[in-house]
Amino acid sequence: MTANWQNRTLFHGDNLAFMRAMNSESVDLIATDPPFNKGRDFHATPDSLAAGAKFQDRWTWEEDVHQSWIDEITDDNPGVMEAIQGARRSYGDDMGAFLCFMAVRLLAMRRILKPTGSIYLHCDSTASHYLKQIMDAVFGRRNFVNEIVWQKIRSSKAQKAGFGPVHDVILFYRASPQAAFNNIYVPLSDERIAKHYRKVEEGTGRRYMLDNFTQAGAGKPKKFGERVIAPPEGKHWIWDQERIDKAWAEGRLVFTSEKMVRVKRYLDESKGNPVEDIWIDIPPINAVSQERVGYPTQKPLALYERILAASSNEGDVVLDPFAGCATTLVAAERLGRQWVGIDIWEGAHKLVEQRLSDTTGIFGNVTFTRQLPTRTDDGETASPFLRVKETIREPEGRKMSRAEMYDYLLAQHGQKCQGCDREFDDPRYLELDHNTPRSSGGINHISNRILLCGPCNRLKSNVYTLIGLRRENKKRGYMSHA
């Protein structure tokens, strides 16, 4: 789907409203650094480029959670709500409130992410384990790729009762198995070169190592020059005959014993080490860094340039809904990506323009707006795989909160499941659901609500009318009476 905003746009305001106004499947990569639920306030360094920037990272269920969020998550994504309530029970209401705030935004991110897209969510041990549960429920646990550990502090003070906390976590998910990914390499260390590339080729002076030429799995004999050699038992030669012939002619294959072949790996052809999921080679921004703008949670450009290089290509659209001091946006510009950012701080656009000017030479070419974009897609609020098969028009009349609807239906029908007619001695066995699937605009009307027991509610995911539900229950022998 085509983006309904132009490149280099920075939206000012609540990111949830803007993401809900963005076209579905219009973003290739989301790389963002949201609040961590640290329980404190953050302020920019006075007299710095980011002076005046601040945000509160404290959360309460009563003040920070909107009833509409609870309704949306409970109705459409019960697995997400279960993770939120589990965190409330094990950690407390502040964690539950923070996760509710994040969940509705992650659901919005899932909708606007292309099937070939990915998301990187920066966090730390305060909430990373709970956020992973939310992301498993939103993006699918099979779309989890990595938990990246970034060493953000080079040394820490001695702790009284534990080890020094020196790392952040970046949760990496893909939208589908078709997501783009580019391998990233880092140079080999001097120690590794000295240890492994000890041989020098006569005549050329090229340093090389002899690498294994077999893998596990039975294989057939292959021809090496004039000799036909069978691989060791339970192994096979790693290349086919055509590639072996070419490498043999180039002198890249050698015998180290009567029947053992090795392949030459030249140092000058090495790409380096592929980047793994522990990143210790990107230092944090220190007090004298030229990058430093004074923003309280600023991350190094190299960190986000690595993320963008791995999971996007030139011309792709990158979104940062918590743009902050614009590190993701600057990284996108430097790497030739399109970008869109969202931030609630009033001075964000000045900081973005200044950083772009300082690092890329671009100035005054950023669209800064408070106006929501106009959707040009089908306007659905759910991700494609979460959409129901039917929609109904919102009826006229009074709308109730979930709690009011629950109490009203109990008074009307008693503690009885409207799917299988079973009566329960405790109303907590009953769940509020829709008689007909909710519309894209969100149904919150009592005429469309019923109370179902857990088994009927789960069964209803593939049965879209009450009559169909009862028929299916009858076939399965769930009905207590006709």
Side-chain angles (χ1 to χ4, degrees):
M1 179 62 65
T2 303
N4 56 332
W5 66 89
Q6 60 184 350
N7 183 28
R8 297 173 181 154
T9 291
L10 180 65
F11 291 115
H12 172 60
D14 182 354
N15 57 18
L16 182 59
F18 286 103
M19 287 191 288
R20 285 177 168 173
M22 297 168 78
N23 281 348
S24 296
E25 298 182 359
S26 57
V27 169
D28 296 285
L29 174 64
I30 299 172
T32 192
D33 182 20
F36 287 6
N37 190 28
K38 300 296 285 184
R40 61 190 182 93
D41 299 335
F42 291 86
H43 299 268
T45 305
D47 302 323
S48 69
L49 188 59
K54 61 181 179 179
F55 66 91
Q56 180 177 295
D57 197 11
R58 306 173 189 269
W59 306 87
T60 65
W61 190 266
E62 293 75 17
E63 296 181 7
D64 298 310
V65 176
H66 296 223
Q67 184 61 44
S68 61
W69 298 353
I70 299 173
D71 291 350
E72 175 189 344
I73 297 170
T74 303
D75 286 349
D76 290 344
N77 305 277
V80 176
M81 183 52 73
E82 288 175 10
I84 292 172
Q85 295 295 11
R88 288 185 73 187
R89 289 189 291 270
S90 62
Y91 190 102
D93 278 357
D94 60 329
M95 183 63 74
F98 169 69
L99 294 178
C100 199
F101 168 88
M102 288 300 302
V104 291
R105 286 159 176 80
L106 287 168
L107 287 164
M109 294 180 211
R110 176 65 183 85
R111 179 186 60 79
I112 61 181
L113 196 61
K114 293 180 182 179
T116 53
S118 300
I119 177 172
Y120 289 74
L121 184 75
H122 201 127
C123 53
D124 71 2
S125 58
T126 306
S128 61
H129 305 85
Y130 298 110
L131 283 168
K132 185 179 185 304
Q133 285 187 295
I134 301 296
M135 295 189 76
D136 281 346
V138 172
F139 293 92
R141 63 181 179 85
R142 289 182 175 83
N143 287 323
F144 168 72
V145 183
N146 287 112
E147 180 183 78
I148 299 165
V149 173
W150 171 54
Q151 185 179 354
K152 64 177 180 179
I153 299 174
R154 286 295 176 260
S155 61
S156 65
K157 298 178 180 179
Q159 305 294 306
K160 293 182 178 180
F163 301 104
V166 298
H167 78 276
D168 278 356
V169 171
I170 303 172
L171 298 175
F172 169 24
Y173 282 74
R174 60 190 182 186
S176 75
Q178 288 71 50
F181 185 77
N182 308 307
N183 280 310
I184 305 297
Y185 297 87
V186 293
L188 299 173
S189 66
D190 292 341
E191 181 183 0
R192 181 174 176 81
I193 292 172
K195 182 177 180 180
H196 294 280
Y197 291 88
R198 292 178 295 180
K199 298 181 180 296
V200 179
E201 188 175 62
E202 292 185 13
T204 67
R206 298 173 72 188
R207 295 177 68 94
Y208 70 93
M209 62 180 290
L210 293 179
D211 203 3
N212 195 7
F213 197 63
T214 61
Q215 288 181 339
K220 297 179 180 180
K222 298 286 178 66
K223 186 177 180 181
F224 297 84
E226 299 300 321
R227 301 169 63 180
V228 177
I229 308 294
E233 185 176 355
K235 302 282 188 179
H236 70 273
W237 303 119
I238 61 174
W239 293 344
D240 60 22
Q241 188 62 60
E242 182 179 357
R243 191 172 179 187
I244 288 175
D245 292 343
K246 184 175 184 294
W248 183 264
E250 294 173 347
R252 291 175 179 265
L253 298 176
V254 298
F255 287 102
T256 56
S257 65
E258 182 66 21
K259 294 185 178 181
M260 185 52 62
V261 182
R262 292 284 189 270
V263 59
K264 287 183 179 180
R265 306 287 189 189
Y266 292 99
L267 175 61
D268 57 17
E269 294 178 345
S270 173
K271 295 180 180 179
N273 282 330
V275 173
E276 297 166 329
D277 62 3
I278 298 179
W279 297 358
I280 61 174
D281 60 317
I282 300 178
I285 295 175
N286 58 42
V288 296
S289 172
Q290 291 185 344
E291 279 186 49
R292 188 176 181 85
V293 298
Y295 197 82
T297 58
Q298 184 181 353
K299 303 301 188 298
L301 263 175
L303 184 67
Y304 280 78
E305 286 181 336
R306 175 173 292 177
I307 290 171
L308 269 61
S311 289
S312 69
N313 297 303
E314 191 169 344
D316 282 352
V317 178
V318 177
L319 165 67
D320 186 353
F322 296 90
C325 62
T327 298
T328 298
L329 312 185
V330 173
E333 189 68 46
R334 285 161 58 103
L335 294 178
R337 276 63 166 165
Q338 301 182 68
W339 57 262
V340 56
I342 312 171
D343 203 84
I344 202 166
W345 176 41
E346 185 72 37
H349 70 290
K350 294 182 180 178
L351 182 57
V352 169
E353 288 184 334
Q354 187 62 55
R355 290 198 74 189
L356 286 172
S357 176
D358 292 343
T359 59
T360 67
I362 294 173
F363 185 79
N365 199 20
V366 177
T367 299
F368 179 72
T369 179
R370 294 176 174 82
Q371 185 167 347
L372 299 176
T374 301
R375 295 276 292 272
T376 58
D377 58 359
D378 59 14
E380 291 282 1
T381 58
S383 301
F385 78 96
L386 292 174
R387 292 178 191 161
V388 296
K389 296 181 180 178
E390 303 177 39
T391 60
I392 66 171
R393 186 181 299 276
E394 173 72 12
E396 299 295 331
R398 179 176 180 270
K399 299 176 183 179
M400 300 181 180
S401 68
R402 288 183 58 83
E404 288 176 322
M405 287 189 282
Y406 198 94
D407 291 341
Y408 178 86
L409 292 171
L410 279 177
Q412 293 295 309
H413 303 291
Q415 296 172 182
K416 179 191 291 187
C417 172
Q418 297 301 298
C420 64
D421 288 339
R422 180 181 174 186
E423 294 204 28
F424 293 88
D425 57 4
D426 191 326
R428 288 177 295 181
Y429 287 106
L430 297 172
E431 302 170 1
L432 186 64
D433 206 339
H434 294 102
N435 190 8
T436 309
R438 75 197 303 260
S439 72
S440 61
I443 296 173
N444 192 33
H445 197 284
I446 190 63
S447 66
N448 187 47
R449 308 311 288 261
I450 54 176
L451 294 179
L452 296 176
C453 65
C456 283
N457 206 0
R458 289 188 290 273
L459 177 63
K460 184 173 177 285
S461 63
N462 291 315
V463 183
Y464 291 99
T465 66
L466 186 57
I467 294 174
L469 178 64
R470 285 181 166 167
R471 285 175 179 167
E472 188 70 17
N473 270 326
K474 188 173 183 179
K475 283 194 298 184
R476 295 174 179 240
Y478 292 166
M479 297 291 283
S480 57
H481 59 269

